[in-house]
mmCIF file of all heavy atoms in Angstrom:
data_model
loop_
_atom_site.group_PDB
_atom_site.id
_atom_site.type_symbol
_atom_site.label_atom_id
_atom_site.label_comp_id
_atom_site.label_asym_id
_atom_site.label_seq_id
_atom_site.Cartn_x
_atom_site.Cartn_y
_atom_site.Cartn_z
ATOM 1 N N ASN A 137 0.671 2.106 -0.908
ATOM 2 C CA ASN A 137 1.510 3.266 -0.960
ATOM 3 C C ASN A 137 0.845 4.459 -0.389
ATOM 4 O O ASN A 137 -0.339 4.418 0.019
ATOM 5 C CB ASN A 137 2.022 3.607 -2.491
ATOM 6 C CG ASN A 137 0.756 3.777 -3.408
ATOM 7 O OD1 ASN A 137 -0.250 3.903 -3.032
ATOM 8 N ND2 ASN A 137 1.172 3.938 -4.701
ATOM 9 N N ALA A 142 -3.649 7.812 1.718
ATOM 10 C CA ALA A 142 -4.107 9.198 1.870
ATOM 11 C C ALA A 142 -5.570 9.389 1.234
ATOM 12 O O ALA A 142 -6.460 10.046 1.771
ATOM 13 C CB ALA A 142 -3.192 10.164 1.323
ATOM 14 N N GLY A 143 -5.696 8.668 0.115
ATOM 15 C CA GLY A 143 -7.021 8.724 -0.622
ATOM 16 C C GLY A 143 -8.077 8.093 0.258
ATOM 17 O O GLY A 143 -9.208 8.643 0.539
ATOM 18 N N ILE A 144 -7.881 6.949 0.837
ATOM 19 C CA ILE A 144 -8.840 6.207 1.734
ATOM 20 C C ILE A 144 -9.152 7.038 2.921
ATOM 21 O O ILE A 144 -10.293 7.127 3.315
ATOM 22 C CB ILE A 144 -8.264 4.795 2.018
ATOM 23 C CG1 ILE A 144 -8.292 3.970 0.593
ATOM 24 C CG2 ILE A 144 -9.269 4.105 2.967
ATOM 25 C CD1 ILE A 144 -7.684 2.680 0.803
ATOM 26 N N LEU A 148 -12.669 8.717 4.108
ATOM 27 C CA LEU A 148 -13.357 8.239 5.296
ATOM 28 C C LEU A 148 -13.562 9.505 6.236
ATOM 29 O O LEU A 148 -14.699 9.527 6.878
ATOM 30 C CB LEU A 148 -12.369 7.297 6.116
ATOM 31 C CG LEU A 148 -12.319 5.918 5.512
ATOM 32 C CD1 LEU A 148 -11.334 5.089 6.340
ATOM 33 C CD2 LEU A 148 -13.675 5.214 5.485
ATOM 34 N N ILE A 151 -16.797 11.089 4.860
ATOM 35 C CA ILE A 151 -17.846 10.279 5.273
ATOM 36 C C ILE A 151 -18.219 10.674 6.722
ATOM 37 O O ILE A 151 -19.422 10.883 7.039
ATOM 38 C CB ILE A 151 -17.643 8.732 5.089
ATOM 39 C CG1 ILE A 151 -17.724 8.388 3.673
ATOM 40 C CG2 ILE A 151 -18.762 8.040 5.874
ATOM 41 C CD1 ILE A 151 -17.222 7.058 3.356
ATOM 42 N N LEU A 153 -17.391 13.534 8.377
ATOM 43 C CA LEU A 153 -17.832 14.985 8.533
ATOM 44 C C LEU A 153 -19.215 15.179 7.824
ATOM 45 O O LEU A 153 -19.957 16.179 8.212
ATOM 46 C CB LEU A 153 -16.802 15.891 7.929
ATOM 47 C CG LEU A 153 -15.502 15.947 8.733
ATOM 48 C CD1 LEU A 153 -14.598 16.808 7.943
ATOM 49 C CD2 LEU A 153 -15.789 16.468 10.147
ATOM 50 N N VAL A 156 -21.861 11.409 9.614
ATOM 51 C CA VAL A 156 -21.934 11.130 11.115
ATOM 52 C C VAL A 156 -22.053 12.393 11.919
ATOM 53 O O VAL A 156 -22.897 12.362 12.904
ATOM 54 C CB VAL A 156 -20.683 10.278 11.424
ATOM 55 C CG1 VAL A 156 -20.583 9.982 12.926
ATOM 56 C CG2 VAL A 156 -20.529 9.046 10.652
ATOM 57 N N PRO A 158 -22.577 16.084 11.014
ATOM 58 C CA PRO A 158 -22.815 17.057 9.977
ATOM 59 C C PRO A 158 -22.311 18.402 10.411
ATOM 60 O O PRO A 158 -22.610 18.964 11.376
ATOM 61 C CB PRO A 158 -24.314 17.066 9.762
ATOM 62 C CG PRO A 158 -24.802 15.899 10.430
ATOM 63 C CD PRO A 158 -23.837 15.481 11.409
ATOM 64 N N GLY A 160 -22.279 21.194 8.113
ATOM 65 C CA GLY A 160 -23.009 22.182 7.541
ATOM 66 C C GLY A 160 -22.489 23.094 6.383
ATOM 67 O O GLY A 160 -23.122 23.724 5.727
ATOM 68 N N TRP A 163 -16.800 23.135 3.268
ATOM 69 C CA TRP A 163 -15.405 22.809 3.216
ATOM 70 C C TRP A 163 -15.134 21.266 3.447
ATOM 71 O O TRP A 163 -14.101 20.830 2.961
ATOM 72 C CB TRP A 163 -14.635 23.663 4.281
ATOM 73 C CG TRP A 163 -15.013 23.453 5.750
ATOM 74 C CD1 TRP A 163 -15.935 24.128 6.427
ATOM 75 C CD2 TRP A 163 -14.558 22.418 6.522
ATOM 76 N NE1 TRP A 163 -16.162 23.677 7.554
ATOM 77 C CE2 TRP A 163 -15.262 22.573 7.877
ATOM 78 C CE3 TRP A 163 -13.560 21.384 6.480
ATOM 79 C CZ2 TRP A 163 -14.986 21.844 8.835
ATOM 80 C CZ3 TRP A 163 -13.323 20.542 7.599
ATOM 81 C CH2 TRP A 163 -14.118 20.815 8.748
ATOM 82 N N PRO A 164 -15.975 20.516 4.109
ATOM 83 C CA PRO A 164 -15.707 19.054 4.232
ATOM 84 C C PRO A 164 -15.562 18.336 2.819
ATOM 85 O O PRO A 164 -14.998 17.344 2.648
ATOM 86 C CB PRO A 164 -16.815 18.486 4.981
ATOM 87 C CG PRO A 164 -17.384 19.712 5.785
ATOM 88 C CD PRO A 164 -17.173 20.839 5.047
ATOM 89 N N HIS A 165 -16.358 19.060 1.721
ATOM 90 C CA HIS A 165 -16.244 18.425 0.396
ATOM 91 C C HIS A 165 -14.946 18.391 -0.221
ATOM 92 O O HIS A 165 -14.774 17.712 -1.204
ATOM 93 C CB HIS A 165 -17.414 18.983 -0.351
ATOM 94 C CG HIS A 165 -18.659 18.807 0.157
ATOM 95 N ND1 HIS A 165 -19.265 17.537 0.274
ATOM 96 C CD2 HIS A 165 -19.635 19.621 0.600
ATOM 97 C CE1 HIS A 165 -20.533 17.717 0.794
ATOM 98 N NE2 HIS A 165 -20.734 18.981 1.084
ATOM 99 N N LEU A 166 -14.032 19.176 0.350
ATOM 100 C CA LEU A 166 -12.565 19.249 -0.303
ATOM 101 C C LEU A 166 -11.939 17.866 0.184
ATOM 102 O O LEU A 166 -11.134 17.428 -0.606
ATOM 103 C CB LEU A 166 -11.849 20.378 0.435
ATOM 104 C CG LEU A 166 -12.408 21.873 0.064
ATOM 105 C CD1 LEU A 166 -11.582 22.878 0.889
ATOM 106 C CD2 LEU A 166 -12.263 22.034 -1.368
ATOM 107 N N VAL A 172 -10.641 11.561 -4.027
ATOM 108 C CA VAL A 172 -10.860 10.985 -5.344
ATOM 109 C C VAL A 172 -9.828 11.248 -6.237
ATOM 110 O O VAL A 172 -9.416 10.260 -7.018
ATOM 111 C CB VAL A 172 -12.177 11.674 -6.018
ATOM 112 C CG1 VAL A 172 -12.337 11.302 -7.402
ATOM 113 C CG2 VAL A 172 -13.453 11.131 -5.228
ATOM 114 N N LEU A 174 -6.561 11.572 -5.312
ATOM 115 C CA LEU A 174 -5.510 10.544 -4.924
ATOM 116 C C LEU A 174 -5.736 9.224 -5.370
ATOM 117 O O LEU A 174 -4.916 8.482 -5.804
ATOM 118 C CB LEU A 174 -5.298 10.711 -3.404
ATOM 119 C CG LEU A 174 -4.670 12.051 -2.883
ATOM 120 C CD1 LEU A 174 -4.565 12.013 -1.422
ATOM 121 C CD2 LEU A 174 -3.373 12.160 -3.537
ATOM 122 N N LEU A 175 -6.969 8.749 -5.197
ATOM 123 C CA LEU A 175 -7.487 7.410 -5.672
ATOM 124 C C LEU A 175 -7.213 7.145 -7.212
ATOM 125 O O LEU A 175 -6.791 6.163 -7.608
ATOM 126 C CB LEU A 175 -8.725 6.956 -5.219
ATOM 127 C CG LEU A 175 -9.025 6.868 -3.676
ATOM 128 C CD1 LEU A 175 -10.460 6.599 -3.437
ATOM 129 C CD2 LEU A 175 -8.155 5.648 -3.215
ATOM 130 N N ARG A 177 -5.245 9.034 -9.020
ATOM 131 C CA ARG A 177 -3.798 9.007 -9.213
ATOM 132 C C ARG A 177 -3.211 7.721 -9.085
ATOM 133 O O ARG A 177 -2.254 7.165 -9.776
ATOM 134 C CB ARG A 177 -3.194 10.067 -8.388
ATOM 135 C CG ARG A 177 -1.664 10.133 -8.637
ATOM 136 C CD ARG A 177 -1.154 11.110 -7.542
ATOM 137 N NE ARG A 177 0.336 11.253 -7.750
ATOM 138 C CZ ARG A 177 1.238 10.472 -7.285
ATOM 139 N NH1 ARG A 177 0.905 9.397 -6.628
ATOM 140 N NH2 ARG A 177 2.572 10.706 -7.580
ATOM 141 N N VAL A 180 -4.089 5.395 -11.986
ATOM 142 C CA VAL A 180 -3.445 5.707 -13.306
ATOM 143 C C VAL A 180 -2.033 5.393 -13.347
ATOM 144 O O VAL A 180 -1.392 4.851 -14.171
ATOM 145 C CB VAL A 180 -3.737 7.210 -13.550
ATOM 146 C CG1 VAL A 180 -2.830 7.686 -14.841
ATOM 147 C CG2 VAL A 180 -5.179 7.359 -13.986
ATOM 148 N N THR A 181 -1.252 5.884 -12.165
ATOM 149 C CA THR A 181 0.231 5.652 -12.194
ATOM 150 C C THR A 181 0.574 4.366 -11.689
ATOM 151 O O THR A 181 1.734 3.909 -11.994
ATOM 152 C CB THR A 181 0.865 6.759 -11.177
ATOM 153 O OG1 THR A 181 0.132 6.626 -9.879
ATOM 154 C CG2 THR A 181 0.509 8.095 -11.619
ATOM 155 N N HIS A 184 3.948 1.811 -8.331
ATOM 156 C CA HIS A 184 5.255 2.353 -8.140
ATOM 157 C C HIS A 184 5.312 3.990 -8.047
ATOM 158 O O HIS A 184 6.456 4.553 -8.326
ATOM 159 C CB HIS A 184 6.274 1.797 -9.061
ATOM 160 C CG HIS A 184 6.377 0.350 -9.098
ATOM 161 N ND1 HIS A 184 6.890 -0.314 -7.952
ATOM 162 C CD2 HIS A 184 5.862 -0.556 -9.973
ATOM 163 C CE1 HIS A 184 6.708 -1.667 -8.183
ATOM 164 N NE2 HIS A 184 6.085 -1.821 -9.364
ATOM 165 N N ALA A 185 4.165 4.648 -7.884
ATOM 166 C CA ALA A 185 4.228 6.139 -7.987
ATOM 167 C C ALA A 185 4.918 6.700 -6.852
ATOM 168 O O ALA A 185 5.751 7.707 -7.017
ATOM 169 C CB ALA A 185 2.708 6.533 -8.054
ATOM 170 N N TRP A 186 4.534 6.319 -5.614
ATOM 171 C CA TRP A 186 5.252 6.858 -4.475
ATOM 172 C C TRP A 186 5.838 5.861 -3.702
ATOM 173 O O TRP A 186 5.735 5.130 -2.977
ATOM 174 C CB TRP A 186 4.153 7.749 -3.645
ATOM 175 C CG TRP A 186 3.988 9.101 -4.067
ATOM 176 C CD1 TRP A 186 4.567 9.687 -5.214
ATOM 177 C CD2 TRP A 186 3.193 10.074 -3.571
ATOM 178 N NE1 TRP A 186 4.136 11.007 -5.399
ATOM 179 C CE2 TRP A 186 3.372 11.257 -4.404
ATOM 180 C CE3 TRP A 186 2.362 10.154 -2.369
ATOM 181 C CZ2 TRP A 186 2.644 12.393 -4.038
ATOM 182 C CZ3 TRP A 186 1.696 11.284 -2.173
ATOM 183 C CH2 TRP A 186 1.851 12.336 -2.913
#
Side-chain angles (χ1 to χ4, degrees):
N137 62 7
I144 291 171
L148 290 175
I151 290 171
L153 288 177
V156 177
W163 64 268
H165 298 295
L166 294 174
V172 169
L174 288 173
L175 291 174
R177 180 185 183 277
V180 170
T181 59
H184 303 290
W186 276 4

